[in-house]
Amino acid sequence: FCDYNIREYSKRRTIDAFRDNKNLTDPSQLSAAFSDGKAQLEVAKRQALVYSLYAPKVKSIMDIKPS
């Protein structure tokens, strides 16, 4: 993801989900966790698209040149 906020949020959620689900052994629970992960990925992709549509012209406050 190009946007820092979406990238870091997705990374944090992924790491947390792997930690929470590391002991799953039941196939139905594994399938549910995998489905939830795919759904979360789709949410992040949609959010990245929305962010890209309304991206600010200046990415950083440091890029603003004084007048």
Side-chain angles (χ1 to χ4, degrees):
F1 297 108
C2 293
D3 186 80
Y4 173 82
N5 291 328
I6 295 173
R7 185 174 56 248
E8 291 302 309
Y9 173 78
S10 298
K11 185 168 51 170
R12 186 176 65 246
R13 289 290 304 255
T14 302
I15 291 168
D16 290 346
F18 270 94
R19 284 184 184 142
D20 291 344
N21 297 317
K22 70 180 176 183
N23 295 323
L24 292 181
T25 56
D26 181 38
S28 64
Q29 289 179 328
L30 288 169
S31 179
F34 184 74
S35 295
D36 183 52
K38 284 177 30 177
Q40 291 297 323
L41 177 59
E42 291 304 314
V43 168
K45 285 180 179 179
R46 281 195 311 270
Q47 194 62 42
L49 176 64
V50 170
Y51 275 32
S52 71
L53 293 173
Y54 301 102
K57 292 181 182 176
V58 177
K59 293 279 183 189
S60 169
I61 191 79
M62 300 303 291
D63 293 339
I64 298 175
K65 294 185 170 94
S67 330

